[in-house]
Amino acid sequence: MRYESFRWLASVIGAHPENKVVGRTRLQKTIWLLQRLGLKTDYTYRTHFYGPYSEDLHAELGLLERFGMVSEEPKEKRDGTPYFIIHAKDTEHLPELPDKLGKALRVISGTKDPVVLELAATYDAFRSQGSDHTEALERLRRKKGKKCEGDREEKALTLLAQLGLDAS
Amino acid sequence: MGGTWPKVIRDPVHGIVPFEDTKRDQLLLELINTREFQRLRRIKQLGMSEFVFPGANHSRFAHSIGVMHTARMFLKSLMEKESKGLSPETQAAILSAALLHDLGHGPFSHAFEKVTGQKHEKYTLEVIRNPKTEVNKRLRKFSKDLPKHVAAFFDEPVDDRKLKAAGIPKYVVQIVSSQLDADRSDYLLRDSHATGADYGKFDLPWLVHHLYPNPKKDKYYIGKKAFSTAEQYVFCRYHMYRSVYFHKTTRAAEVMLRLLFKRFAEVLKKGKILDVANRVAPGASPVLVKAFAKKSLTLDGYLGLDDFSINEFFKSAAVGKDKTMAALANGLLHRRLYKAVDVSDAGEASQKFFENAQEIAKSKQSEVGLAEDCLLEKDSIADTPYKPYEIDAEKPAEMIFVEDSAGRVQELSKYSKGVEGLKDRYVLLRYYFPLKLRKPMDKLASRLLKEVKS
């Protein structure tokens, strides 16, 4: 059976531990990586503020909320910065992710540091635009600056390699 | 530039737009006369809205002049209340940025961005920075660093160091880009005027008169006497999106354009691109064909494309050999538009609709005579009328600030319950299909929606 993108989006949210995703940015990057691995969504992404971002995905998240398939819980960080936890509500009627994508999702959701995920998705977006490894890294460092410091950049590349995406 | 001064442009929204005999205004007028800016005469501001609102055929050219004029009003009002003042160079940078903000728009902007895979902002920056363009040359004639300073307004996020180096206080950047800026102010009024949809109108002179700078906080705010106007401005935006920009029939034309573009790109993959193009869109511009084949375009090539190129493409595709492209192009030329079913409130039933609608489309494919993937198209759109600050938004929004009755400056939604309610995103979900499928689709929708109601 063919499903619309937003149903696959709901499936990905529902397949996270405790059926929830912490932060819209995390969800954006997760879908980017899964779409690269063959998830049957058709979101148009642009490289933006925090790396690949899809306005279509943002719209369809609203649709899922309207249909009662997910809820967004507003939260605040200690410094008062708002963010959202996205909960999948009814996962019973959703399409099941293929094994390969289920495994990939476990690797992605196991990446606790959201900056590592942001770096991985951004580097991969540059690769998808035709940059080779050296150029993609240069662009990543230019765009993300201090976020690349420490071992985050290496962790991001390891994550991509684990997913079977180009990282060298 | 000779002749008598001041020079004036007459505008249906702002009345008289004057240019004084100063270096700054001479620059603005000469920028308007550059070939890159004149191209905006050939790009419509509202793309497909004309199918619903016959008067909505105004250009980005008129809008851009309106934005510059509005930015000048903002600037004048702020300068009257700010003792420090701004140098002529800084003022020139702000007003040039306002004037040039839409330079990189392609024809039927958003659909075409999907073809090229490039945002229009990229081309705007390229025109400003490329030393071969007339815009760049004219900016450099004013001062050698002006292209750099104008480009600084379009950085995402804005780079504080660049602004400091250019002597541009951060709060004035909001004149060019924020939730209360010259661009939105002009397009709401202009689109409202052109469509005849009066709910886009608000009291701009009153709002501008009550603008106050707050340079220490990097922002400007609206004085208490214009609080209601600030509220009205946000409501106008909400109504214009809901009723004009997201109009069901306008979106039908946009969906068809999207399908036509997608189909052309796919068909071009099936052979040598110019041969295929000659068969399915005889006489189509080679630059346009190149864009659809995802070949990179030179800046000159890109700037050669405008609404006329696309309209000519419609005509050539309409007589071409690909039946699907011909039907879509004819539909767009003669307003034979797709029909829609709105399932925004259907909840789970929307999946049932989608499944059954696909079957209907498949069974009627030979009767309709179009490619399978052009028989049923989803259109989901969303808008947040007043954007709250969010760390993980596409880009953090610049909020609107107002003075309350006690003289404190607060973010607008904290002071207005109406605006607070507009911080929620709303979404529309519609399915579009050719006219020949209307009967069975309407029947299906009415059956499923009845179930939802019960």
PDB file of all heavy atoms in Angstrom, chain B residues 162-185:
ATOM      1  N   LYS B 162      30.357  42.021  10.617  1.00  0.00           N
ATOM      2  CA  LYS B 162      30.236  42.714   9.328  1.00  0.00           C
ATOM      3  C   LYS B 162      29.439  44.008   9.485  1.00  0.00           C
ATOM      4  O   LYS B 162      29.756  45.026   8.886  1.00  0.00           O
ATOM      5  CB  LYS B 162      29.531  41.808   8.310  1.00  0.00           C
ATOM      6  CG  LYS B 162      30.412  40.736   7.719  1.00  0.00           C
ATOM      7  CD  LYS B 162      29.675  40.103   6.551  1.00  0.00           C
ATOM      8  CE  LYS B 162      30.231  38.754   6.194  1.00  0.00           C
ATOM      9  NZ  LYS B 162      29.379  38.009   5.270  1.00  0.00           N
ATOM     10  N   LEU B 163      28.372  43.921  10.301  1.00  0.00           N
ATOM     11  CA  LEU B 163      27.546  45.119  10.499  1.00  0.00           C
ATOM     12  C   LEU B 163      28.360  46.205  11.184  1.00  0.00           C
ATOM     13  O   LEU B 163      28.310  47.379  10.810  1.00  0.00           O
ATOM     14  CB  LEU B 163      26.321  44.784  11.354  1.00  0.00           C
ATOM     15  CG  LEU B 163      25.266  43.877  10.735  1.00  0.00           C
ATOM     16  CD1 LEU B 163      24.141  43.634  11.732  1.00  0.00           C
ATOM     17  CD2 LEU B 163      24.691  44.497   9.465  1.00  0.00           C
ATOM     18  N   LYS B 164      29.126  45.807  12.187  1.00  0.00           N
ATOM     19  CA  LYS B 164      29.924  46.770  12.939  1.00  0.00           C
ATOM     20  C   LYS B 164      30.934  47.446  12.001  1.00  0.00           C
ATOM     21  O   LYS B 164      31.093  48.672  12.018  1.00  0.00           O
ATOM     22  CB  LYS B 164      30.649  46.048  14.078  1.00  0.00           C
ATOM     23  CG  LYS B 164      30.940  46.969  15.242  1.00  0.00           C
ATOM     24  CD  LYS B 164      31.479  46.206  16.420  1.00  0.00           C
ATOM     25  CE  LYS B 164      31.947  47.202  17.469  1.00  0.00           C
ATOM     26  NZ  LYS B 164      32.683  46.570  18.534  1.00  0.00           N
ATOM     27  N   ALA B 165      31.571  46.609  11.182  1.00  0.00           N
ATOM     28  CA  ALA B 165      32.568  47.142  10.246  1.00  0.00           C
ATOM     29  C   ALA B 165      31.927  48.134   9.274  1.00  0.00           C
ATOM     30  O   ALA B 165      32.557  49.096   8.844  1.00  0.00           O
ATOM     31  CB  ALA B 165      33.215  45.992   9.474  1.00  0.00           C
ATOM     32  N   ALA B 166      30.644  47.893   8.966  1.00  0.00           N
ATOM     33  CA  ALA B 166      29.960  48.782   8.021  1.00  0.00           C
ATOM     34  C   ALA B 166      29.310  49.971   8.720  1.00  0.00           C
ATOM     35  O   ALA B 166      28.720  50.829   8.070  1.00  0.00           O
ATOM     36  CB  ALA B 166      28.900  47.983   7.268  1.00  0.00           C
ATOM     37  N   GLY B 167      29.394  49.992  10.065  1.00  0.00           N
ATOM     38  CA  GLY B 167      28.779  51.088  10.823  1.00  0.00           C
ATOM     39  C   GLY B 167      27.262  51.031  10.806  1.00  0.00           C
ATOM     40  O   GLY B 167      26.586  52.049  10.913  1.00  0.00           O
ATOM     41  N   ILE B 168      26.722  49.817  10.667  1.00  0.00           N
ATOM     42  CA  ILE B 168      25.259  49.667  10.623  1.00  0.00           C
ATOM     43  C   ILE B 168      24.760  49.170  11.987  1.00  0.00           C
ATOM     44  O   ILE B 168      25.085  48.050  12.381  1.00  0.00           O
ATOM     45  CB  ILE B 168      24.837  48.655   9.531  1.00  0.00           C
ATOM     46  CG1 ILE B 168      25.335  49.123   8.153  1.00  0.00           C
ATOM     47  CG2 ILE B 168      23.336  48.448   9.515  1.00  0.00           C
ATOM     48  CD1 ILE B 168      25.239  48.070   7.061  1.00  0.00           C
ATOM     49  N   PRO B 169      23.993  49.978  12.728  1.00  0.00           N
ATOM     50  CA  PRO B 169      23.454  49.479  14.005  1.00  0.00           C
ATOM     51  C   PRO B 169      22.519  48.303  13.747  1.00  0.00           C
ATOM     52  O   PRO B 169      21.771  48.317  12.764  1.00  0.00           O
ATOM     53  CB  PRO B 169      22.679  50.677  14.567  1.00  0.00           C
ATOM     54  CG  PRO B 169      22.939  51.822  13.667  1.00  0.00           C
ATOM     55  CD  PRO B 169      23.523  51.315  12.397  1.00  0.00           C
ATOM     56  N   LYS B 170      22.584  47.319  14.629  1.00  0.00           N
ATOM     57  CA  LYS B 170      21.838  46.076  14.365  1.00  0.00           C
ATOM     58  C   LYS B 170      20.322  46.314  14.266  1.00  0.00           C
ATOM     59  O   LYS B 170      19.638  45.640  13.494  1.00  0.00           O
ATOM     60  CB  LYS B 170      22.147  45.057  15.465  1.00  0.00           C
ATOM     61  CG  LYS B 170      21.864  43.637  15.027  1.00  0.00           C
ATOM     62  CD  LYS B 170      22.320  42.645  16.052  1.00  0.00           C
ATOM     63  CE  LYS B 170      21.913  41.232  15.645  1.00  0.00           C
ATOM     64  NZ  LYS B 170      22.209  40.273  16.691  1.00  0.00           N
ATOM     65  N   TYR B 171      19.816  47.272  15.038  1.00  0.00           N
ATOM     66  CA  TYR B 171      18.358  47.414  15.054  1.00  0.00           C
ATOM     67  C   TYR B 171      17.796  47.844  13.688  1.00  0.00           C
ATOM     68  O   TYR B 171      16.665  47.533  13.361  1.00  0.00           O
ATOM     69  CB  TYR B 171      17.909  48.360  16.176  1.00  0.00           C
ATOM     70  CG  TYR B 171      18.077  49.834  15.898  1.00  0.00           C
ATOM     71  CD1 TYR B 171      17.028  50.580  15.377  1.00  0.00           C
ATOM     72  CD2 TYR B 171      19.276  50.499  16.168  1.00  0.00           C
ATOM     73  CE1 TYR B 171      17.170  51.929  15.125  1.00  0.00           C
ATOM     74  CE2 TYR B 171      19.426  51.844  15.923  1.00  0.00           C
ATOM     75  CZ  TYR B 171      18.366  52.564  15.401  1.00  0.00           C
ATOM     76  OH  TYR B 171      18.508  53.894  15.146  1.00  0.00           O
ATOM     77  N   VAL B 172      18.620  48.544  12.888  1.00  0.00           N
ATOM     78  CA  VAL B 172      18.066  48.980  11.592  1.00  0.00           C
ATOM     79  C   VAL B 172      17.978  47.834  10.577  1.00  0.00           C
ATOM     80  O   VAL B 172      17.271  47.945   9.577  1.00  0.00           O
ATOM     81  CB  VAL B 172      18.839  50.172  10.963  1.00  0.00           C
ATOM     82  CG1 VAL B 172      18.800  51.383  11.858  1.00  0.00           C
ATOM     83  CG2 VAL B 172      20.239  49.810  10.565  1.00  0.00           C
ATOM     84  N   VAL B 173      18.669  46.715  10.860  1.00  0.00           N
ATOM     85  CA  VAL B 173      18.564  45.556   9.958  1.00  0.00           C
ATOM     86  C   VAL B 173      17.108  45.078   9.916  1.00  0.00           C
ATOM     87  O   VAL B 173      16.627  44.567   8.907  1.00  0.00           O
ATOM     88  CB  VAL B 173      19.508  44.422  10.427  1.00  0.00           C
ATOM     89  CG1 VAL B 173      19.337  43.182   9.563  1.00  0.00           C
ATOM     90  CG2 VAL B 173      20.952  44.899  10.375  1.00  0.00           C
ATOM     91  N   GLN B 174      16.404  45.289  11.020  1.00  0.00           N
ATOM     92  CA  GLN B 174      15.002  44.853  11.086  1.00  0.00           C
ATOM     93  C   GLN B 174      14.105  45.584  10.094  1.00  0.00           C
ATOM     94  O   GLN B 174      13.021  45.117   9.768  1.00  0.00           O
ATOM     95  CB  GLN B 174      14.466  45.054  12.500  1.00  0.00           C
ATOM     96  CG  GLN B 174      15.055  44.059  13.466  1.00  0.00           C
ATOM     97  CD  GLN B 174      14.622  44.350  14.883  1.00  0.00           C
ATOM     98  OE1 GLN B 174      13.448  44.527  15.145  1.00  0.00           O
ATOM     99  NE2 GLN B 174      15.569  44.418  15.792  1.00  0.00           N
ATOM    100  N   ILE B 175      14.553  46.733   9.627  1.00  0.00           N
ATOM    101  CA  ILE B 175      13.764  47.444   8.599  1.00  0.00           C
ATOM    102  C   ILE B 175      13.698  46.579   7.340  1.00  0.00           C
ATOM    103  O   ILE B 175      12.699  46.543   6.637  1.00  0.00           O
ATOM    104  CB  ILE B 175      14.418  48.813   8.249  1.00  0.00           C
ATOM    105  CG1 ILE B 175      14.413  49.730   9.465  1.00  0.00           C
ATOM    106  CG2 ILE B 175      13.704  49.469   7.069  1.00  0.00           C
ATOM    107  CD1 ILE B 175      15.139  51.052   9.243  1.00  0.00           C
ATOM    108  N   VAL B 176      14.785  45.856   7.085  1.00  0.00           N
ATOM    109  CA  VAL B 176      14.852  45.035   5.870  1.00  0.00           C
ATOM    110  C   VAL B 176      14.314  43.629   6.121  1.00  0.00           C
ATOM    111  O   VAL B 176      13.705  43.017   5.248  1.00  0.00           O
ATOM    112  CB  VAL B 176      16.304  44.977   5.330  1.00  0.00           C
ATOM    113  CG1 VAL B 176      16.407  44.126   4.077  1.00  0.00           C
ATOM    114  CG2 VAL B 176      16.814  46.383   5.039  1.00  0.00           C
ATOM    115  N   SER B 177      14.509  43.095   7.327  1.00  0.00           N
ATOM    116  CA  SER B 177      14.034  41.739   7.588  1.00  0.00           C
ATOM    117  C   SER B 177      13.664  41.531   9.046  1.00  0.00           C
ATOM    118  O   SER B 177      14.533  41.469   9.912  1.00  0.00           O
ATOM    119  CB  SER B 177      15.109  40.733   7.183  1.00  0.00           C
ATOM    120  OG  SER B 177      14.662  39.431   7.453  1.00  0.00           O
ATOM    121  N   SER B 178      12.367  41.447   9.294  1.00  0.00           N
ATOM    122  CA  SER B 178      11.847  41.105  10.624  1.00  0.00           C
ATOM    123  C   SER B 178      10.354  40.868  10.434  1.00  0.00           C
ATOM    124  O   SER B 178       9.841  40.948   9.313  1.00  0.00           O
ATOM    125  CB  SER B 178      12.082  42.246  11.611  1.00  0.00           C
ATOM    126  OG  SER B 178      11.303  43.368  11.264  1.00  0.00           O
ATOM    127  N   GLN B 179       9.652  40.603  11.525  1.00  0.00           N
ATOM    128  CA  GLN B 179       8.203  40.380  11.369  1.00  0.00           C
ATOM    129  C   GLN B 179       7.447  41.696  11.173  1.00  0.00           C
ATOM    130  O   GLN B 179       6.275  41.695  10.837  1.00  0.00           O
ATOM    131  CB  GLN B 179       7.647  39.612  12.567  1.00  0.00           C
ATOM    132  CG  GLN B 179       8.130  38.171  12.564  1.00  0.00           C
ATOM    133  CD  GLN B 179       7.301  37.267  13.455  1.00  0.00           C
ATOM    134  OE1 GLN B 179       6.226  36.832  13.082  1.00  0.00           O
ATOM    135  NE2 GLN B 179       7.817  36.968  14.624  1.00  0.00           N
ATOM    136  N   LEU B 180       8.137  42.813  11.425  1.00  0.00           N
ATOM    137  CA  LEU B 180       7.551  44.121  11.098  1.00  0.00           C
ATOM    138  C   LEU B 180       8.592  44.864  10.275  1.00  0.00           C
ATOM    139  O   LEU B 180       9.409  45.618  10.816  1.00  0.00           O
ATOM    140  CB  LEU B 180       7.210  44.900  12.380  1.00  0.00           C
ATOM    141  CG  LEU B 180       6.719  46.332  12.152  1.00  0.00           C
ATOM    142  CD1 LEU B 180       5.410  46.364  11.390  1.00  0.00           C
ATOM    143  CD2 LEU B 180       6.548  47.069  13.469  1.00  0.00           C
ATOM    144  N   ASP B 181       8.590  44.605   8.988  1.00  0.00           N
ATOM    145  CA  ASP B 181       9.606  45.239   8.140  1.00  0.00           C
ATOM    146  C   ASP B 181       8.950  45.914   6.930  1.00  0.00           C
ATOM    147  O   ASP B 181       7.733  45.849   6.744  1.00  0.00           O
ATOM    148  CB  ASP B 181      10.677  44.225   7.721  1.00  0.00           C
ATOM    149  CG  ASP B 181      10.129  43.101   6.860  1.00  0.00           C
ATOM    150  OD1 ASP B 181       8.969  43.187   6.418  1.00  0.00           O
ATOM    151  OD2 ASP B 181      10.865  42.124   6.616  1.00  0.00           O
ATOM    152  N   ALA B 182       9.791  46.559   6.146  1.00  0.00           N
ATOM    153  CA  ALA B 182       9.277  47.312   5.010  1.00  0.00           C
ATOM    154  C   ALA B 182       8.716  46.369   3.938  1.00  0.00           C
ATOM    155  O   ALA B 182       7.741  46.701   3.262  1.00  0.00           O
ATOM    156  CB  ALA B 182      10.399  48.166   4.419  1.00  0.00           C
ATOM    157  N   ASP B 183       9.298  45.193   3.796  1.00  0.00           N
ATOM    158  CA  ASP B 183       8.857  44.222   2.800  1.00  0.00           C
ATOM    159  C   ASP B 183       7.417  43.776   3.081  1.00  0.00           C
ATOM    160  O   ASP B 183       6.522  43.910   2.241  1.00  0.00           O
ATOM    161  CB  ASP B 183       9.821  43.020   2.831  1.00  0.00           C
ATOM    162  CG  ASP B 183       9.482  41.972   1.791  1.00  0.00           C
ATOM    163  OD1 ASP B 183       8.799  42.317   0.806  1.00  0.00           O
ATOM    164  OD2 ASP B 183       9.911  40.811   1.941  1.00  0.00           O
ATOM    165  N   ARG B 184       7.176  43.273   4.294  1.00  0.00           N
ATOM    166  CA  ARG B 184       5.830  42.807   4.637  1.00  0.00           C
ATOM    167  C   ARG B 184       4.824  43.954   4.584  1.00  0.00           C
ATOM    168  O   ARG B 184       3.697  43.785   4.117  1.00  0.00           O
ATOM    169  CB  ARG B 184       5.816  42.183   6.027  1.00  0.00           C
ATOM    170  CG  ARG B 184       6.432  40.799   6.073  1.00  0.00           C
ATOM    171  CD  ARG B 184       6.661  40.397   7.535  1.00  0.00           C
ATOM    172  NE  ARG B 184       7.236  39.076   7.685  1.00  0.00           N
ATOM    173  CZ  ARG B 184       8.507  38.775   7.461  1.00  0.00           C
ATOM    174  NH1 ARG B 184       9.345  39.706   7.040  1.00  0.00           N
ATOM    175  NH2 ARG B 184       8.966  37.540   7.644  1.00  0.00           N
ATOM    176  N   SER B 185       5.230  45.119   5.086  1.00  0.00           N
ATOM    177  CA  SER B 185       4.309  46.262   5.102  1.00  0.00           C
ATOM    178  C   SER B 185       3.865  46.574   3.688  1.00  0.00           C
ATOM    179  O   SER B 185       2.677  46.805   3.435  1.00  0.00           O
ATOM    180  CB  SER B 185       4.995  47.502   5.698  1.00  0.00           C
ATOM    181  OG  SER B 185       5.389  47.244   7.020  1.00  0.00           O
TER     182      SER B 185
END
